[in-house]
Amino acid sequence: DSKSKESRGALIVLEGLDRCGKTSQSSRLFSSLEGFGYSVDLWRFPDRNTGVGQMISSYLLNQTQLDDRTIHLLFSANRWEKRSMMESKLRSGTTLIVDRYSYSGVAFSAAKGLDIEWCKAPEKGLLAPDLVLYLDIQPEEAAERGGYGGERYEQLEFQKKVSQQYLMMRDHSWKIIDASLPMEDVEKQLSALVLDSVDLCRKGKPLSQLWP
Ligand code: TMP
């Protein structure tokens, strides 16, 4: 009917430190929504498949060196190059589960000492998430989980700084989930929050832009 044609999908973002369980939880959410019959896509940033994404990937693998502000802007550009696709997906009724977004962009760069307002500026005008699920974990515990993979930011002292930066960005769209709980418990909490958000968007909640 005409009402369902107009209803949009929800923009759901998962955030947290490296090894907090975001990626597993994102795919679990994706599968369960799909199982319920929703139209849903699973995205992640950085999207390493684009030209910009390949530059980011080689930086993260320590194969290239880049100035801190340069890599910051590349991460942001990587979101901008997906923005129109993101908007058309959402407007056509598809919910997006997105593993990392602008909050990672700001938290990781600010943890290097860059000014937070400078870091936020290029994100302005990207779509604002309807829900940010922050998987909260102690940096020490994350570090113990199967070890880091050896990418550039996977170091305990740095992750501690990132976690402080993240928590300064909390706003009304954030839900903080204790990611030290068993995976199934985390999944249940996330699912309930996501279903609520999807419902609100179907009922006509407008899309908005960063930063509120
Ligand atoms: P990934 O492990 O989720 O693929 O993310 C790669 C790393 O990039 C991770 O350490 C977080 C970092 N990152 C940023 O520094 N800025 C960003 O905008 C994003 C999306 C990720």
Side-chain angles (χ1 to χ4, degrees):
D1 61 17
S2 66
K3 200 174 173 208
S4 66
K5 265 188 223 146
E6 285 164 19
S7 76
R8 69 167 177 95
L11 179 54
I12 311 285
V13 167
L14 279 82
E15 285 284 5
L17 297 182
D18 290 290
R19 308 291 303 158
C20 69
K22 255 178 318 74
T23 304
S24 318
Q25 293 293 346
S26 302
S27 46
R28 283 169 174 235
L29 279 172
F30 169 74
S31 312
S32 80
L33 286 177
E34 210 180 27
F36 287 132
Y38 289 102
S39 168
V40 57
D41 273 7
L42 180 57
W43 284 25
R44 70 178 308 155
F45 288 109
D47 177 342
R48 302 189 191 210
N49 299 311
T50 69
V52 173
Q54 283 164 22
M55 293 176 70
I56 294 172
S57 182
S58 60
Y59 171 82
L60 289 171
L61 294 166
N62 289 307
Q63 291 165 351
T64 48
Q65 307 306 321
L66 288 170
D67 167 78
D68 290 344
R69 287 179 179 79
T70 307
I71 183 64
H72 180 80
L73 295 172
L74 289 178
F75 273 116
S76 185
N78 188 230
R79 285 182 279 280
W80 277 102
E81 61 185 343
K82 307 286 289 196
R83 189 198 182 286
S84 61
M85 167 85 82
M86 186 177 253
E87 181 163 355
S88 58
K89 287 268 180 187
L90 292 169
R91 292 205 188 279
S92 74
T94 301
T95 283
L96 301 179
I97 304 289
V98 184
D99 183 352
R100 295 194 186 281
Y101 196 55
S102 302
Y103 306 90
S104 285
V106 175
F108 281 76
S109 291
K112 295 174 178 173
L114 296 186
D115 177 70
I116 193 155
E117 293 308 321
W118 188 90
C119 292
K120 283 170 114 173
E123 307 297 314
K124 194 177 153 104
L126 288 172
L127 296 173
D130 294 295
L131 177 64
V132 178
L133 298 165
Y134 182 75
L135 271 57
D136 191 23
I137 191 169
Q138 290 302 313
E140 291 80 2
E141 188 181 342
E144 282 164 14
R145 289 188 169 179
Y148 288 139
E151 282 203 335
R152 190 179 283 265
Y153 298 141
E154 297 178 343
Q155 293 171 26
L156 181 58
E157 289 311 309
F158 186 69
Q159 297 279 324
K160 286 183 186 168
K161 292 183 188 156
V162 173
S163 99
Q164 289 167 0
Q165 295 297 334
Y166 261 131
L167 294 172
M168 290 199 287
M169 275 187 288
R170 280 174 288 190
D171 64 37
H172 65 280
S173 65
W174 279 50
K175 298 286 176 196
I176 300 191
I177 288 93
D178 181 355
S180 65
L181 294 173
M183 214 184 222
E184 289 69 27
D185 297 349
V186 175
E187 186 181 0
K188 267 187 213 150
Q189 291 186 42
L190 297 181
S191 258
L193 292 163
V194 168
L195 289 173
D196 275 355
S197 179
V198 167
D199 195 45
L200 278 177
C201 294
R202 280 165 72 124
K203 287 177 177 155
K205 179 182 178 227
L207 262 178
S208 58
Q209 299 187 357
L210 289 176
W211 297 87

